[in-house]
Short mmCIF file of all heavy atoms in Angstrom, two decimals:
data_model
loop_
_atom_site.label_atom_id
_atom_site.label_comp_id
_atom_site.label_asym_id
_atom_site.label_seq_id
_atom_site.Cartn_x
_atom_site.Cartn_y
_atom_site.Cartn_z
N LYS A 211 10.68 35.54 -84.69
CA LYS A 211 12.11 35.88 -84.71
C LYS A 211 12.41 37.00 -83.67
O LYS A 211 13.39 36.86 -82.86
CB LYS A 211 12.51 36.27 -86.12
CG LYS A 211 13.90 36.57 -86.29
CD LYS A 211 14.23 36.99 -87.75
CE LYS A 211 15.66 37.38 -87.91
NZ LYS A 211 15.99 37.74 -89.30
N GLY A 212 11.65 38.05 -83.76
CA GLY A 212 11.93 39.21 -82.82
C GLY A 212 11.58 38.82 -81.39
O GLY A 212 12.27 39.25 -80.48
N TYR A 213 10.54 37.95 -81.21
CA TYR A 213 10.19 37.56 -79.85
C TYR A 213 11.25 36.66 -79.26
O TYR A 213 11.56 36.77 -78.05
CB TYR A 213 8.81 36.82 -79.91
CG TYR A 213 8.34 36.48 -78.53
CD1 TYR A 213 8.00 37.44 -77.59
CD2 TYR A 213 8.17 35.12 -78.15
CE1 TYR A 213 7.54 37.13 -76.35
CE2 TYR A 213 7.74 34.79 -76.88
CZ TYR A 213 7.40 35.78 -76.01
OH TYR A 213 6.96 35.46 -74.74
N ALA A 214 11.81 35.78 -80.05
CA ALA A 214 12.88 34.90 -79.57
C ALA A 214 14.08 35.73 -79.13
O ALA A 214 14.70 35.46 -78.12
CB ALA A 214 13.31 33.90 -80.67
N LEU A 215 14.44 36.78 -79.88
CA LEU A 215 15.55 37.67 -79.48
C LEU A 215 15.21 38.35 -78.18
O LEU A 215 16.06 38.51 -77.31
CB LEU A 215 15.80 38.70 -80.61
CG LEU A 215 16.87 39.71 -80.33
CD1 LEU A 215 18.23 39.02 -80.22
CD2 LEU A 215 16.87 40.72 -81.44
N SER A 216 13.98 38.77 -78.11
CA SER A 216 13.50 39.48 -76.83
C SER A 216 13.68 38.53 -75.63
O SER A 216 14.09 38.97 -74.54
CB SER A 216 12.06 39.90 -76.99
OG SER A 216 11.55 40.31 -75.76
N LEU A 217 13.33 37.29 -75.81
CA LEU A 217 13.43 36.31 -74.70
C LEU A 217 14.87 36.12 -74.30
O LEU A 217 15.18 36.05 -73.11
CB LEU A 217 12.79 34.98 -75.08
CG LEU A 217 11.29 34.94 -75.14
CD1 LEU A 217 10.84 33.53 -75.63
CD2 LEU A 217 10.70 35.27 -73.86
N ARG A 218 15.78 36.05 -75.25
CA ARG A 218 17.20 35.84 -74.91
C ARG A 218 17.74 37.09 -74.16
O ARG A 218 18.49 36.94 -73.17
CB ARG A 218 17.99 35.64 -76.17
CG ARG A 218 17.98 34.16 -76.63
CD ARG A 218 19.01 33.98 -77.71
NE ARG A 218 18.75 34.93 -78.78
CZ ARG A 218 18.75 34.70 -80.05
NH1 ARG A 218 19.10 33.51 -80.47
NH2 ARG A 218 18.48 35.60 -80.95
N ARG A 219 17.40 38.25 -74.64
CA ARG A 219 17.84 39.49 -74.01
C ARG A 219 17.28 39.59 -72.58
O ARG A 219 17.95 40.01 -71.65
CB ARG A 219 17.47 40.71 -74.79
CG ARG A 219 18.11 40.79 -76.10
CD ARG A 219 19.59 41.04 -75.95
NE ARG A 219 20.20 41.13 -77.25
CZ ARG A 219 21.50 41.00 -77.46
NH1 ARG A 219 22.25 40.70 -76.50
NH2 ARG A 219 21.95 41.06 -78.64
N ARG A 220 15.98 39.29 -72.42
CA ARG A 220 15.38 39.30 -71.08
C ARG A 220 16.03 38.38 -70.14
O ARG A 220 16.30 38.69 -68.97
CB ARG A 220 13.87 38.96 -71.26
CG ARG A 220 13.11 39.15 -69.99
CD ARG A 220 11.66 38.83 -70.17
NE ARG A 220 11.08 39.42 -71.36
CZ ARG A 220 10.01 38.96 -71.96
NH1 ARG A 220 9.39 37.90 -71.45
NH2 ARG A 220 9.50 39.59 -73.03
N LYS A 221 16.43 37.18 -70.60
CA LYS A 221 17.14 36.22 -69.75
C LYS A 221 18.46 36.78 -69.31
O LYS A 221 18.81 36.66 -68.11
CB LYS A 221 17.33 34.93 -70.53
CG LYS A 221 17.97 33.82 -69.66
CD LYS A 221 18.12 32.51 -70.46
CE LYS A 221 18.61 31.38 -69.69
NZ LYS A 221 19.78 31.61 -68.90
N MET A 222 19.20 37.43 -70.20
CA MET A 222 20.47 38.06 -69.77
C MET A 222 20.27 39.08 -68.71
O MET A 222 20.98 39.15 -67.72
CB MET A 222 21.17 38.68 -70.99
CG MET A 222 21.87 37.71 -71.87
SD MET A 222 22.62 38.47 -73.33
CE MET A 222 23.32 40.00 -72.70
N ILE A 223 19.26 39.98 -68.90
CA ILE A 223 19.01 41.03 -67.91
C ILE A 223 18.59 40.43 -66.58
O ILE A 223 19.10 40.82 -65.52
CB ILE A 223 17.92 41.95 -68.45
CG1 ILE A 223 18.29 42.51 -69.80
CG2 ILE A 223 17.54 43.02 -67.44
CD1 ILE A 223 19.09 43.74 -69.84
N GLU A 224 17.69 39.43 -66.58
CA GLU A 224 17.20 38.86 -65.35
C GLU A 224 18.29 38.12 -64.62
O GLU A 224 18.36 38.17 -63.38
CB GLU A 224 16.08 37.86 -65.63
CG GLU A 224 14.77 38.51 -66.14
CD GLU A 224 14.14 39.42 -65.10
OE1 GLU A 224 14.26 39.14 -63.88
OE2 GLU A 224 13.53 40.40 -65.47
N GLU A 225 19.21 37.50 -65.31
CA GLU A 225 20.37 36.81 -64.68
C GLU A 225 21.24 37.88 -63.95
O GLU A 225 21.68 37.61 -62.86
CB GLU A 225 21.17 36.05 -65.70
CG GLU A 225 20.57 34.72 -66.14
CD GLU A 225 21.34 34.05 -67.17
OE1 GLU A 225 22.33 34.60 -67.68
OE2 GLU A 225 21.00 32.88 -67.47
N ALA A 226 21.48 38.98 -64.63
CA ALA A 226 22.32 40.00 -64.03
C ALA A 226 21.69 40.56 -62.77
O ALA A 226 22.33 40.64 -61.72
CB ALA A 226 22.51 41.13 -65.04
N PHE A 227 20.41 40.90 -62.83
CA PHE A 227 19.77 41.43 -61.61
C PHE A 227 19.64 40.36 -60.53
O PHE A 227 19.74 40.72 -59.33
CB PHE A 227 18.48 42.07 -61.95
CG PHE A 227 18.65 43.49 -62.52
CD1 PHE A 227 18.59 43.70 -63.84
CD2 PHE A 227 18.85 44.56 -61.64
CE1 PHE A 227 18.75 44.98 -64.37
CE2 PHE A 227 19.04 45.82 -62.15
CZ PHE A 227 18.97 46.04 -63.50
N GLY A 228 19.42 39.14 -60.91
CA GLY A 228 19.40 38.06 -59.93
C GLY A 228 20.74 37.91 -59.19
O GLY A 228 20.76 37.79 -58.02
N TRP A 229 21.82 37.98 -59.98
CA TRP A 229 23.14 37.87 -59.36
C TRP A 229 23.43 39.05 -58.40
O TRP A 229 23.88 38.89 -57.33
CB TRP A 229 24.21 37.82 -60.42
CG TRP A 229 25.59 37.59 -59.94
CD1 TRP A 229 26.19 36.35 -59.87
CD2 TRP A 229 26.52 38.48 -59.40
NE1 TRP A 229 27.47 36.45 -59.35
CE2 TRP A 229 27.73 37.79 -59.01
CE3 TRP A 229 26.52 39.85 -59.20
CZ2 TRP A 229 28.81 38.41 -58.47
CZ3 TRP A 229 27.62 40.48 -58.63
CH2 TRP A 229 28.77 39.73 -58.27
N ILE A 230 23.07 40.23 -58.88
CA ILE A 230 23.25 41.44 -58.12
C ILE A 230 22.47 41.40 -56.81
O ILE A 230 22.97 41.85 -55.73
CB ILE A 230 22.90 42.67 -58.98
CG1 ILE A 230 24.05 42.83 -60.02
CG2 ILE A 230 22.78 43.91 -58.11
CD1 ILE A 230 23.69 43.79 -61.13
N LYS A 231 21.28 40.87 -56.85
CA LYS A 231 20.49 40.79 -55.62
C LYS A 231 20.97 39.72 -54.66
O LYS A 231 21.07 39.96 -53.46
CB LYS A 231 19.00 40.52 -55.96
CG LYS A 231 18.23 41.69 -56.46
CD LYS A 231 16.84 41.26 -56.73
CE LYS A 231 15.90 42.43 -56.87
NZ LYS A 231 14.53 42.00 -57.08
N THR A 232 21.28 38.53 -55.18
CA THR A 232 21.63 37.44 -54.27
C THR A 232 23.11 37.49 -53.90
O THR A 232 23.45 37.61 -52.73
CB THR A 232 21.35 36.06 -54.90
OG1 THR A 232 22.02 36.00 -56.19
CG2 THR A 232 19.88 35.86 -55.18
N VAL A 233 23.98 37.41 -54.87
CA VAL A 233 25.47 37.34 -54.56
C VAL A 233 25.97 38.72 -54.20
O VAL A 233 26.77 38.87 -53.24
CB VAL A 233 26.19 36.81 -55.79
CG1 VAL A 233 27.72 36.81 -55.53
CG2 VAL A 233 25.72 35.45 -56.18
N GLY A 234 25.52 39.76 -54.90
CA GLY A 234 25.97 41.13 -54.63
C GLY A 234 25.41 41.76 -53.39
O GLY A 234 25.94 42.77 -52.92
N GLY A 235 24.35 41.24 -52.83
CA GLY A 235 23.83 41.75 -51.61
C GLY A 235 23.02 42.99 -51.72
O GLY A 235 22.81 43.74 -50.73
N LEU A 236 22.38 43.22 -52.85
CA LEU A 236 21.57 44.42 -52.94
C LEU A 236 20.08 44.16 -52.74
O LEU A 236 19.24 45.00 -52.96
CB LEU A 236 21.74 45.10 -54.36
CG LEU A 236 23.01 45.96 -54.46
CD1 LEU A 236 23.01 46.63 -55.86
CD2 LEU A 236 23.09 47.02 -53.41
N ARG A 237 19.77 42.95 -52.24
CA ARG A 237 18.37 42.73 -51.89
C ARG A 237 18.01 43.55 -50.67
O ARG A 237 16.94 44.15 -50.61
CB ARG A 237 18.15 41.23 -51.61
CG ARG A 237 16.72 40.89 -51.42
CD ARG A 237 16.47 39.38 -51.30
NE ARG A 237 16.98 38.67 -52.41
CZ ARG A 237 16.30 38.44 -53.53
NH1 ARG A 237 15.06 38.92 -53.67
NH2 ARG A 237 16.79 37.71 -54.52
N LYS A 238 18.90 43.56 -49.72
CA LYS A 238 18.74 44.46 -48.53
C LYS A 238 19.98 45.27 -48.45
O LYS A 238 21.11 44.78 -48.37
CB LYS A 238 18.66 43.64 -47.27
CG LYS A 238 17.33 42.97 -47.06
CD LYS A 238 17.24 42.34 -45.71
CE LYS A 238 15.90 41.76 -45.42
NZ LYS A 238 15.82 41.19 -44.10
N THR A 239 19.84 46.56 -48.51
CA THR A 239 21.01 47.45 -48.49
C THR A 239 21.57 47.59 -47.10
O THR A 239 20.84 47.44 -46.06
CB THR A 239 20.64 48.82 -49.03
OG1 THR A 239 19.68 49.41 -48.19
CG2 THR A 239 20.14 48.75 -50.44
N ARG A 240 22.82 47.87 -46.97
CA ARG A 240 23.47 48.01 -45.70
C ARG A 240 23.63 49.46 -45.29
O ARG A 240 24.01 49.76 -44.18
CB ARG A 240 24.87 47.40 -45.74
CG ARG A 240 24.84 45.91 -45.85
CD ARG A 240 26.26 45.39 -45.86
NE ARG A 240 26.32 44.40 -46.92
CZ ARG A 240 27.36 44.19 -47.70
NH1 ARG A 240 28.44 44.86 -47.56
NH2 ARG A 240 27.27 43.22 -48.60
N HIS A 241 23.42 50.38 -46.25
CA HIS A 241 23.73 51.78 -46.02
C HIS A 241 22.48 52.61 -46.14
O HIS A 241 21.49 52.27 -46.81
CB HIS A 241 24.76 52.23 -47.09
CG HIS A 241 25.98 51.40 -47.09
ND1 HIS A 241 26.94 51.46 -46.12
CD2 HIS A 241 26.41 50.49 -47.96
CE1 HIS A 241 27.86 50.59 -46.39
NE2 HIS A 241 27.63 50.03 -47.52
N LYS A 242 22.51 53.80 -45.50
CA LYS A 242 21.49 54.81 -45.64
C LYS A 242 22.07 55.95 -46.34
O LYS A 242 23.23 56.34 -46.14
CB LYS A 242 20.99 55.22 -44.26
CG LYS A 242 20.15 54.18 -43.56
CD LYS A 242 19.57 54.74 -42.33
CE LYS A 242 18.73 53.69 -41.59
NZ LYS A 242 18.11 54.18 -40.40
N GLY A 243 21.28 56.60 -47.16
CA GLY A 243 21.73 57.75 -47.87
C GLY A 243 22.04 57.43 -49.32
O GLY A 243 22.56 56.31 -49.66
N LEU A 244 21.76 58.37 -50.17
CA LEU A 244 21.93 58.16 -51.59
C LEU A 244 23.38 57.97 -52.01
O LEU A 244 23.71 57.11 -52.83
CB LEU A 244 21.33 59.37 -52.39
CG LEU A 244 21.21 59.19 -53.88
CD1 LEU A 244 20.35 57.96 -54.22
CD2 LEU A 244 20.61 60.43 -54.50
N GLU A 245 24.31 58.71 -51.42
CA GLU A 245 25.72 58.60 -51.77
C GLU A 245 26.27 57.25 -51.42
O GLU A 245 26.94 56.59 -52.20
CB GLU A 245 26.53 59.70 -51.14
CG GLU A 245 26.44 61.03 -51.82
CD GLU A 245 27.42 62.03 -51.18
OE1 GLU A 245 28.43 61.59 -50.56
OE2 GLU A 245 27.14 63.22 -51.26
N LYS A 246 25.97 56.80 -50.19
CA LYS A 246 26.52 55.52 -49.77
C LYS A 246 25.88 54.36 -50.53
O LYS A 246 26.57 53.44 -50.95
CB LYS A 246 26.25 55.30 -48.22
CG LYS A 246 27.09 56.19 -47.38
CD LYS A 246 26.80 55.97 -45.93
CE LYS A 246 27.59 56.90 -45.07
NZ LYS A 246 27.26 56.70 -43.67
N LEU A 247 24.63 54.46 -50.80
CA LEU A 247 23.93 53.39 -51.52
C LEU A 247 24.39 53.38 -52.99
O LEU A 247 24.56 52.30 -53.59
CB LEU A 247 22.39 53.60 -51.48
CG LEU A 247 21.57 52.51 -52.12
CD1 LEU A 247 21.88 51.14 -51.52
CD2 LEU A 247 20.12 52.82 -51.97
N SER A 248 24.65 54.55 -53.57
CA SER A 248 25.15 54.59 -54.94
C SER A 248 26.57 53.95 -55.01
O SER A 248 26.84 53.24 -55.97
CB SER A 248 25.21 56.04 -55.43
OG SER A 248 23.95 56.62 -55.48
N GLY A 249 27.35 54.18 -53.95
CA GLY A 249 28.64 53.54 -53.96
C GLY A 249 28.57 52.04 -53.86
O GLY A 249 29.32 51.32 -54.55
N GLN A 250 27.69 51.53 -53.03
CA GLN A 250 27.48 50.11 -52.89
C GLN A 250 27.04 49.51 -54.24
O GLN A 250 27.49 48.48 -54.66
CB GLN A 250 26.49 49.78 -51.78
CG GLN A 250 26.32 48.32 -51.62
CD GLN A 250 25.20 47.97 -50.64
OE1 GLN A 250 24.54 48.84 -50.07
NE2 GLN A 250 25.03 46.67 -50.39
N ALA A 251 26.10 50.20 -54.87
CA ALA A 251 25.56 49.70 -56.15
C ALA A 251 26.64 49.70 -57.21
O ALA A 251 26.75 48.73 -57.96
CB ALA A 251 24.36 50.54 -56.56
N LEU A 252 27.44 50.75 -57.24
CA LEU A 252 28.49 50.90 -58.23
C LEU A 252 29.50 49.72 -58.03
O LEU A 252 29.93 49.08 -58.97
CB LEU A 252 29.21 52.22 -58.11
CG LEU A 252 30.37 52.45 -59.09
CD1 LEU A 252 29.87 52.52 -60.47
CD2 LEU A 252 31.15 53.70 -58.60
N PHE A 253 29.88 49.46 -56.79
CA PHE A 253 30.82 48.42 -56.47
C PHE A 253 30.24 47.05 -56.88
O PHE A 253 30.96 46.20 -57.45
CB PHE A 253 31.14 48.44 -54.99
CG PHE A 253 32.20 47.45 -54.57
CD1 PHE A 253 33.51 47.68 -54.86
CD2 PHE A 253 31.86 46.29 -53.89
CE1 PHE A 253 34.48 46.76 -54.48
CE2 PHE A 253 32.80 45.37 -53.56
CZ PHE A 253 34.15 45.59 -53.80
N THR A 254 28.95 46.86 -56.61
CA THR A 254 28.33 45.53 -56.94
C THR A 254 28.24 45.33 -58.42
O THR A 254 28.52 44.25 -58.99
CB THR A 254 26.94 45.46 -56.31
OG1 THR A 254 27.04 45.70 -54.89
CG2 THR A 254 26.27 44.15 -56.54
N PHE A 255 27.87 46.39 -59.15
CA PHE A 255 27.80 46.26 -60.62
C PHE A 255 29.17 46.08 -61.22
O PHE A 255 29.32 45.27 -62.21
CB PHE A 255 27.11 47.49 -61.24
CG PHE A 255 25.63 47.50 -61.05
CD1 PHE A 255 24.99 48.37 -60.21
CD2 PHE A 255 24.80 46.68 -61.81
CE1 PHE A 255 23.63 48.41 -60.06
CE2 PHE A 255 23.45 46.63 -61.67
CZ PHE A 255 22.86 47.54 -60.80
N ALA A 256 30.16 46.67 -60.68
CA ALA A 256 31.53 46.49 -61.16
C ALA A 256 31.99 45.05 -60.93
O ALA A 256 32.63 44.40 -61.77
CB ALA A 256 32.49 47.48 -60.50
N ALA A 257 31.65 44.52 -59.76
CA ALA A 257 32.01 43.11 -59.46
C ALA A 257 31.32 42.15 -60.40
O ALA A 257 31.91 41.17 -60.90
CB ALA A 257 31.63 42.76 -57.99
N TYR A 258 30.06 42.43 -60.73
CA TYR A 258 29.33 41.58 -61.67
C TYR A 258 30.00 41.66 -63.02
O TYR A 258 30.14 40.66 -63.70
CB TYR A 258 27.88 41.98 -61.76
CG TYR A 258 27.15 41.20 -62.80
CD1 TYR A 258 26.79 39.89 -62.61
CD2 TYR A 258 26.84 41.78 -64.06
CE1 TYR A 258 26.16 39.13 -63.58
CE2 TYR A 258 26.25 41.01 -64.99
CZ TYR A 258 25.88 39.69 -64.79
OH TYR A 258 25.26 38.96 -65.75
N ASN A 259 30.36 42.87 -63.46
CA ASN A 259 31.01 42.99 -64.77
C ASN A 259 32.32 42.25 -64.83
O ASN A 259 32.66 41.66 -65.86
CB ASN A 259 31.21 44.46 -65.12
CG ASN A 259 29.91 45.14 -65.52
OD1 ASN A 259 29.01 44.51 -66.05
ND2 ASN A 259 29.82 46.41 -65.29
N LEU A 260 33.06 42.27 -63.77
CA LEU A 260 34.33 41.55 -63.69
C LEU A 260 34.14 40.04 -63.81
O LEU A 260 34.88 39.35 -64.50
CB LEU A 260 35.17 41.94 -62.49
CG LEU A 260 35.77 43.32 -62.49
CD1 LEU A 260 36.40 43.64 -61.15
CD2 LEU A 260 36.80 43.44 -63.60
N THR A 261 33.16 39.53 -63.02
CA THR A 261 32.89 38.08 -63.10
C THR A 261 32.41 37.70 -64.49
O THR A 261 32.79 36.64 -65.00
CB THR A 261 31.91 37.64 -62.05
OG1 THR A 261 30.70 38.36 -62.20
CG2 THR A 261 32.43 37.88 -60.65
N ARG A 262 31.58 38.49 -65.07
CA ARG A 262 31.11 38.21 -66.43
C ARG A 262 32.23 38.22 -67.43
O ARG A 262 32.31 37.44 -68.36
CB ARG A 262 30.00 39.19 -66.82
CG ARG A 262 29.29 38.79 -68.09
CD ARG A 262 27.97 39.53 -68.20
NE ARG A 262 27.26 38.98 -69.34
CZ ARG A 262 27.44 39.37 -70.61
NH1 ARG A 262 28.32 40.30 -70.87
NH2 ARG A 262 26.73 38.80 -71.59
N LEU A 263 33.13 39.20 -67.29
CA LEU A 263 34.26 39.35 -68.18
C LEU A 263 35.17 38.08 -68.06
O LEU A 263 35.62 37.60 -69.08
CB LEU A 263 35.05 40.59 -67.81
CG LEU A 263 36.17 40.96 -68.74
CD1 LEU A 263 35.70 41.24 -70.15
CD2 LEU A 263 36.96 42.19 -68.21
N LEU A 264 35.40 37.64 -66.89
CA LEU A 264 36.22 36.42 -66.71
C LEU A 264 35.56 35.25 -67.37
O LEU A 264 36.21 34.41 -68.01
CB LEU A 264 36.38 36.11 -65.22
CG LEU A 264 37.36 36.96 -64.48
CD1 LEU A 264 37.36 36.69 -62.98
CD2 LEU A 264 38.79 36.77 -65.05
N ASN A 265 34.26 35.12 -67.28
CA ASN A 265 33.55 34.00 -67.96
C ASN A 265 33.58 34.11 -69.46
O ASN A 265 33.66 33.16 -70.20
CB ASN A 265 32.06 33.92 -67.48
CG ASN A 265 32.01 33.40 -66.07
OD1 ASN A 265 32.88 32.69 -65.63
ND2 ASN A 265 30.94 33.79 -65.38
N LEU A 266 33.54 35.37 -69.97
CA LEU A 266 33.64 35.54 -71.43
C LEU A 266 35.04 35.30 -71.95
O LEU A 266 35.18 34.86 -73.06
CB LEU A 266 33.21 36.95 -71.78
CG LEU A 266 31.71 37.30 -71.58
CD1 LEU A 266 31.50 38.78 -71.82
CD2 LEU A 266 30.87 36.47 -72.59
N MET A 267 36.04 35.57 -71.13
CA MET A 267 37.40 35.37 -71.59
C MET A 267 37.88 33.93 -71.46
O MET A 267 38.85 33.53 -72.13
CB MET A 267 38.36 36.26 -70.82
CG MET A 267 38.18 37.76 -71.13
SD MET A 267 39.13 38.84 -70.08
CE MET A 267 40.77 38.16 -70.27
N ARG A 268 37.20 33.15 -70.66
CA ARG A 268 37.55 31.75 -70.49
C ARG A 268 37.39 30.98 -71.80
O ARG A 268 36.36 31.16 -72.49
CB ARG A 268 36.65 31.11 -69.40
CG ARG A 268 37.04 29.66 -69.05
CD ARG A 268 36.17 29.16 -67.96
NE ARG A 268 36.39 29.93 -66.78
CZ ARG A 268 35.46 30.16 -65.82
NH1 ARG A 268 34.28 29.54 -65.94
NH2 ARG A 268 35.69 30.88 -64.77
N PRO A 269 38.35 30.21 -72.20
CA PRO A 269 38.24 29.47 -73.48
C PRO A 269 37.08 28.46 -73.40
O PRO A 269 36.87 27.82 -72.40
CB PRO A 269 39.57 28.80 -73.63
CG PRO A 269 40.26 28.89 -72.32
CD PRO A 269 39.65 29.96 -71.54
N ALA A 270 36.39 28.37 -74.53
CA ALA A 270 35.27 27.44 -74.58
C ALA A 270 35.78 26.00 -74.63
O ALA A 270 36.70 25.66 -75.38
CB ALA A 270 34.42 27.75 -75.81
N VAL A 271 35.18 25.17 -73.76
CA VAL A 271 35.54 23.75 -73.75
C VAL A 271 34.53 23.00 -74.65
O VAL A 271 33.34 23.01 -74.40
CB VAL A 271 35.45 23.21 -72.29
CG1 VAL A 271 35.78 21.74 -72.30
CG2 VAL A 271 36.44 23.99 -71.43
N ALA A 272 35.04 22.35 -75.65
CA ALA A 272 34.17 21.67 -76.58
C ALA A 272 34.23 20.16 -76.47
O ALA A 272 35.10 19.59 -76.00
CB ALA A 272 34.50 22.06 -78.03
#
């Protein structure tokens, strides 16, 4: 039971980081310096959260 829950949570985390790396462009950074990179990461994570929010708000099609 606990292991099944762990697998589901792990899948959610891996999907998020996969999206952030591929779609969000954080596989290779465009900026140098901690401040600029932090800004890019913040923007990418915010974009991921917005896309996830849109998917969660979409009515389920049954």
Side-chain angles (χ1 to χ4, degrees):
K211 182 178 176 181
Y213 184 65
L215 178 65
S216 172
L217 288 177
R218 277 190 306 223
R219 295 291 182 202
R220 188 180 310 159
K221 184 178 186 309
M222 279 179 42
I223 303 274
E224 292 294 330
E225 284 177 352
F227 279 99
W229 188 95
I230 288 165
K231 282 181 164 183
T232 57
V233 178
L236 280 184
R237 187 173 303 275
K238 286 187 175 182
T239 61
R240 291 181 224 147
H241 306 288
K242 288 186 179 181
L244 189 57
E245 279 187 27
K246 290 180 182 179
L247 185 57
S248 294
Q250 181 187 2
L252 179 68
F253 185 74
T254 304
F255 283 108
Y258 175 74
N259 284 333
L260 287 174
T261 57
R262 188 162 189 276
L263 186 64
L264 284 173
N265 288 333
L266 289 173
M267 290 174 56
R268 185 177 299 152
V271 178

